[in-house]
C-alpha cells in the first residue's frame, strides 16, 4: 500500500471573543496542525466492502471507487478559564477501486449523448478513469480540509463553560458539526466535480477519434453476481422475525423505543419512500415524553417525506434522537427520527389507529427485509452479508437503486413505460405517470399490459389503470420512472428488499396473480 503523509499548518491568529462567564475575554485561535495520511489500498473494492468504507454511500453496488475518509481531533484538552485547546486534526484516507469486471466499460462504448444526458446514473466508467478519479478526489479532500481548518480553530477558540467537562462536551460537538459540514460539501460539491473531470478526460480521448456508441449496458449486466444459492442459503443469518399487521395491504411492525429510562412500544409502518424514519410527536407526548428531551441540538431540519403526505405538502421537520430501537429482539441501526404526524387508518373507518411512526430508507438500506403477506403476515430481517434466495423456490430479482430518494428499477418496463418505482407505503396496484398532457392524448382510459424486468416477462395481460398526470410538472423530466408499483401489485406474494446489494427479490407466483 502506497502511503503519503503531509503536514499542513496555519499561522496562529489572535481575536477578541466573548465568554459566557464574563463580559469580555481574549481568546486565542490555537494553531491546529493538519496531518493528512493518504494511501492506495491493494485489495479491490466490493459492494460489501463499500458499506464499511463509506456507510453513507447511496447505491454501493454502483460504486466503482471509494475514498475512505476518517477525521479525528488530536490532543483536545482544557486551557485556563475552562477554555479548550487541541493540537491538530488527523485525517486518514485510502483509495479503493474495483478490480477488472463487467462494471467497467471500454472507450469504444462511450455514449453519443452529452454529459448531462448520458451521465445521470454514472454508468459509463473505465478502470483508468476510476483510478484517476479516486486520486483526484484524494487531492480535493486534502484541499477541502486545509481550507476549512481555520473555521474549526475559530469555533474551538470561542468555547468556554462553567466546568471542564462542559467545555470538552461543547468542543466535541463543535468538531462533530464541523465534520458534518465537511462531509456535506464533499458530497454535494466535490464528488460531482470529480465526476465531471473524469468525463472531460474521456471526451479528450474519444472526441478526436469520433467515438460514439448509441447502445449502453444495463446495471444488471454490470453488477456483481449473486452469491451462489446452494452454498449461501445455509449461511444466511436470520436476525429477526416480527409479526406484521397490515393496513390495506401495507406492512407495519411493533417497535420498542428506548428513551432515557423509559421503553415505548408503538406500531410503525414500513415505507420505502421515506428517506428518513419518522416518529409521531403525539405518540411521544401521550407517554409523557417531552419533545425537548429528544431534539438534536444544532441539527438542521430535514424535509419530511413519506407516502402519507404529498410532495407538495412536505415540510421541514426537526430531528429527534432516542437511545435505541428494537424490533423482535433486534436492535435496528437507527437512533434518529424526524418529528412528524403519522396518524392514518383511524376510527371510525378502522377499528384502531396506525401508526406511531415510519420505518424508512435509513433502516431499509442497511439490512435485508423480507415481507410475507400470507396469514399470519410477518416481516423477516436478514443479515446483509452474503444474502441470496434459492432459485428452487422461484425467487427472481431485479436491480433496484435509490434515485432521488425513490427505489427504482430502470431495467423494468410496463407496456413501453420505462422504469418502475417500488413503494411499500402506497396502497395502489399500478400507477402510470404521464409527464406531459400530449404524451397520452390517444391512450385508452384502461388497457391490458405486461411488465418485464431485464428482458424477462413478469406479468402478461394484466389490467392497467388509466394514466395519471404526475405532480410538480416542472420536475417531470427528472423522474427516473414512468410507472409506480404499490403494495397491491408486488405484495401478492413474498418479496424482499435487499438495498445493500441493490436488488428487489420477488416470487414468480406473486406476479402471476391479477388484480381484483
Amino acid at each position: 500500500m502506497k502511503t503519503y503523509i503531509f503536514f499542513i499548518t496555519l499561522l496562529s491568529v489572535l481575536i477578541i471573543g466573548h465568554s459566557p462567564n464574563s463580559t469580555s475575554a481574549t481568546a486565542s485561535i490555537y494553531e491546529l496542525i493538519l496531518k493528512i495520511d493518504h494511501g492506495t489500498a491493494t485489495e479491490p473494492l466490493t459492494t460489501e466492502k463499500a458499506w464499511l468504507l463509506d456507510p453513507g454511500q447511496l447505491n454501493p453496488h454502483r460504486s466503482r471507487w471509494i475514498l475512505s475518509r476518517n477525521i479525528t481531533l488530536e490532543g483536545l484538552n482544557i486551557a485556563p478559564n475552562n477554555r479548550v485547546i487541541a493540537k491538530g486534526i488527523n485525517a486518514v484516507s485510502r483509495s479503493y477501486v474495483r478490480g477488472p469486471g463487467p462494471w467497467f466499460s471500454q472507450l469504444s462504448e462511450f455514449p453519443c449523448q452529452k454529459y448531462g444526458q448520458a451521465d445521470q446514473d454514472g454508468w459509463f466508467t473505465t478502470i483508468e478513469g476510476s483510478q484517476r478519479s479516486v486520486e483526484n478526489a484524494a487531492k480535493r479532500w486534502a484541499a477541502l480540509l486545509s481550507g476549512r481548518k481555520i473555521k474549526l480553530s475559530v469555533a474551538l477558540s470561542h468555547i468556554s463553560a462553567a466546568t471542564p467537562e462542559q467545555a470538552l462536551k461543547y468542543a466535541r460537538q463543535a468538531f462533530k458539526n464541523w465534520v458534518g459540514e465537511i462531509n456535506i460539501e464533499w458530497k454535494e460539491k466535490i464528488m460531482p466535480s470529480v465526476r465531471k473531470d473524469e468525463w472531460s478526460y474521456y471526451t479528450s480521448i474519444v472526441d478526436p477519434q469520433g467515438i460514439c456508441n448509441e447502445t449502453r449496458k444495463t446495471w444488471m449486466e454490470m453488477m456483481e453476481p449473486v452469491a451462489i444459492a446452494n452454498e449461501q442459503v445455509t449461511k444466511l443469518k436470520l436476525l429477526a422475525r416480527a409479526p406484521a399487521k397490515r393496513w390495506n395491504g401495507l406492512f407495519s411492525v411493533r417497535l420498542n423505543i428506548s428513551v432515557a429510562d423509559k421503553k415505548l412500544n408503538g406500531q410503525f409502518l414500513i415505507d420505502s419512500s421515506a428517506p428518513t424514519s419518522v416518529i409521531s410527536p403525539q405518540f411521544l407526548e401521550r407517554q409523557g415524553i417531552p419533545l425537548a428531551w429528544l431534539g438534536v441540538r444544532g441539527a438542521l431540519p430535514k424535509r419530511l417525506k413519506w407516502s402519507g403526505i404529498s410532495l407538495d405538502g412536505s415540510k421541514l421537520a426537526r430531528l429527534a434522537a432516542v437511545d435505541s430501537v428494537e424490533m423482535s429482539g433486534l436492535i435496528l441501526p437507527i437512533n434518529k427520527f424526524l418529528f412528524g404526524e403519522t396518524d392514518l387508518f383511524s376510527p371510525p373507518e378502522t377499528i384502531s389507529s396506525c401508526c406511531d411512526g415510519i420505518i424508512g430508507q435509513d433502516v431499509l438500506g442497511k439490512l435485508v427485509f423480507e415481507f410475507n403477506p400470507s396469514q399470519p403476515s410477518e416481516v423477516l430481517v436478514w443479515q446483509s452479508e452474503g444474502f441470496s434466495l434459492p432459485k428452487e423456490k422461484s425467487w427472481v430479482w431485479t436491480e433496484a437503486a435509490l434515485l432521488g430518494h425513490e427505489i427504482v428499477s430502470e431495467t423494468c418496463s410496463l407496456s413501453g413505460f420505462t422504469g418502475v418505482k417500488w413503494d411499500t407505503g402506497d396502497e395502489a396496484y399500478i400507477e402510470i405517470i404521464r409527464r406531459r398532457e400530449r404524451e397520452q392524448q390517444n391512450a385508452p382510459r384502461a388497457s391490458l399490459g405486461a411488465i418485464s424486468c431485464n428482458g424477462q416477462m413478469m406479468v402478461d395481460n394484466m389490467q392497467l389503470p388509466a394514466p395519471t398526470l404526475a405532480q410538480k410538472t416542472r420536475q417531470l423530466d427528472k423522474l427516473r420512472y414512468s410507472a409506480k408499483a404499490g403494495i397491491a401489485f408486488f405484495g401478492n406474494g413474498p418479496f424482499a428488499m435487499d438495498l445493500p446489494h441493490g436488488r428487489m427479490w420477488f416470487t414468480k407466483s406473486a406476479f402471476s396473480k391479477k388484480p381484483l
Side-chain angles (χ1 to χ4, degrees):
M1 178 176 68
K2 300 178 182 177
T3 302
Y4 309 93
I5 299 179
F6 306 93
F7 293 94
I8 304 173
T9 64
L10 290 177
L11 295 177
S12 297
V13 182
L14 279 182
I15 66 168
I16 302 297
H18 295 280
S19 167
N21 302 322
S22 62
T23 57
S24 178
T26 300
S28 295
I29 302 180
Y30 293 97
E31 181 179 8
L32 287 175
I33 299 175
L34 175 59
K35 178 183 176 182
I36 299 179
D37 179 353
H38 173 64
T40 301
T42 55
E43 64 270 28
L45 176 69
T46 64
T47 297
E48 296 194 359
K49 188 172 292 183
W51 307 340
L52 305 175
L53 298 174
D54 191 354
Q57 175 93 350
L58 291 179
N59 305 316
H61 67 289
R62 291 189 173 192
S63 60
R64 278 61 166 264
W65 62 265
I66 278 183
L67 182 72
S68 67
R69 311 174 310 282
N70 184 50
I71 315 173
T72 55
L73 186 61
E74 302 293 329
L76 181 62
N77 214 329
I78 294 295
N81 299 321
N82 289 335
R83 292 187 174 275
V84 293
I85 185 173
K87 290 182 179 180
I89 304 166
N90 187 29
V92 179
S93 61
R94 294 291 181 267
S95 298
Y96 289 83
V97 180
R98 285 188 185 268
W103 36 82
F104 289 119
S105 301
Q106 302 297 320
L107 281 173
S108 59
E109 300 172 286
F110 191 78
C112 299
Q113 295 90 348
K114 294 181 180 179
Y115 171 70
Q117 299 170 323
D119 198 51
Q120 285 187 356
D121 57 1
W123 74 269
F124 181 88
T125 299
T126 68
I127 190 167
E128 295 81 8
S130 291
Q131 291 167 345
R132 289 173 63 96
S133 283
V134 73
E135 294 309 315
N136 182 15
K139 294 176 182 177
R140 289 175 179 255
W141 175 246
L144 177 63
L145 294 176
S146 179
R148 298 294 180 272
K149 186 179 71 167
I150 189 64
K151 186 172 183 179
L152 177 60
S153 300
V154 172
L156 294 178
S157 73
H158 281 77
I159 291 175
S160 179
T163 66
E165 293 76 16
Q166 285 182 334
L168 290 174
K169 179 181 178 180
Y170 296 156
R172 294 188 183 102
Q173 186 61 49
F175 176 68
K176 183 179 180 180
N177 293 343
W178 180 79
V179 171
E181 292 176 2
I182 291 288
N183 285 330
I184 289 174
E185 189 165 355
W186 163 263
K187 179 181 178 181
E188 296 181 355
K189 294 183 180 180
I190 303 299
M191 287 292 285
S193 64
V194 168
R195 176 58 181 173
K196 193 170 184 179
D197 287 348
E198 182 181 338
W199 196 266
S200 297
Y201 161 70
Y202 296 141
T203 56
S204 67
I205 299 175
V206 301
D207 283 355
Q209 302 179 46
I211 296 175
C212 174
N213 199 310
E214 294 288 355
T215 61
R216 60 154 289 179
K217 294 180 180 177
T218 67
W219 279 107
M220 285 288 291
E221 299 174 89
M222 295 185 285
M223 291 175 64
E224 291 171 328
V226 180
I228 299 175
N230 292 335
E231 296 180 3
Q232 291 292 335
V233 166
T234 57
K235 299 179 182 179
L236 288 180
K237 184 176 181 181
L238 180 63
L239 302 179
R241 183 189 298 269
K245 187 170 184 178
R246 301 190 68 187
W247 306 82
N248 290 353
L250 307 183
F251 283 80
S252 69
V253 293
R254 298 205 71 83
L255 299 183
N256 289 321
I257 313 293
S258 296
V259 181
D261 59 343
K262 294 188 176 183
K263 181 167 285 190
L264 318 179
N265 185 273
Q267 198 78 19
F268 281 67
L269 192 73
I270 302 178
D271 186 347
S272 61
S273 70
T276 307
S277 296
V278 183
I279 194 165
S280 166
Q282 290 185 8
F283 164 67
L284 296 169
E285 290 173 340
R286 284 196 303 265
Q287 303 189 62
I289 304 297
L291 302 187
W293 284 11
L294 307 185
V296 179
R297 184 178 177 181
L300 295 175
K302 290 187 176 183
R303 186 68 62 182
L304 180 64
K305 184 178 182 295
W306 56 288
S307 294
I309 58 175
S310 67
L311 188 60
D312 291 328
S314 63
K315 59 182 180 180
L316 292 176
R318 291 186 299 132
L319 202 62
V322 300
D323 295 331
S324 66
V325 181
E326 180 184 316
M327 186 183 86
S328 294
L330 172 67
I331 301 297
L332 296 180
I334 181 178
N335 66 347
K336 291 183 174 62
F337 293 86
L338 288 178
F339 285 126
E341 294 304 341
T342 55
D343 192 24
L344 64 156
F345 302 111
S346 299
E349 287 81 5
T350 56
I351 298 176
S352 58
S353 296
C354 179
C355 291
D356 302 311
I358 304 293
I359 298 176
Q361 296 167 8
D362 45 2
V363 178
L364 297 173
K366 297 176 182 177
L367 298 166
V368 179
F369 279 70
E370 181 184 343
F371 300 80
N372 188 350
S374 61
Q375 295 298 326
S377 300
E378 61 181 359
V379 174
L380 286 70
V381 182
W382 298 91
Q383 181 175 277
S384 301
E385 288 79 4
F387 179 80
S388 66
L389 286 168
K391 290 183 179 179
E392 56 265 25
K393 292 186 179 180
S394 299
W395 283 100
V396 294
W397 65 273
T398 183
E399 192 265 349
L402 279 168
L403 305 176
H405 296 302
E406 310 286 5
I407 300 175
V408 178
S409 291
E410 295 178 291
T411 55
C412 291
S413 63
L414 179 59
S415 296
F417 294 88
T418 304
V420 176
K421 170 189 172 183
W422 312 104
D423 193 346
T424 65
D426 195 317
E427 304 170 30
Y429 180 73
I430 286 287
E431 178 184 358
I432 300 175
I433 300 169
R434 52 181 179 177
R435 300 168 189 270
R436 301 177 184 86
E437 291 285 354
R438 66 176 181 271
E439 284 187 359
Q440 297 298 326
Q441 286 179 350
N442 300 320
R445 299 306 298 170
S447 61
L448 292 177
I451 185 170
S452 62
C453 293
N454 324 308
Q456 179 179 355
M457 184 65 67
M458 306 291 249
V459 186
D460 199 4
N461 295 323
M462 65 178 179
Q463 191 74 24
L464 295 181
T468 59
L469 185 64
Q471 298 177 347
K472 286 206 167 185
T473 54
R474 67 178 181 274
Q475 296 184 6
L476 291 183
D477 288 334
K478 297 181 181 179
L479 286 180
R480 307 293 290 277
Y481 57 92
S482 296
K484 181 171 66 174
I487 201 71
F489 176 72
F490 60 88
N492 280 318
F495 68 96
M497 303 188 79
D498 179 13
L499 297 184
H501 290 104
R503 297 187 177 100
M504 284 283 295
W505 293 80
F506 303 100
T507 55
K508 292 182 180 180
S509 59
F511 285 115
S512 65
K513 297 182 180 180
K514 306 297 188 295
L516 298 176

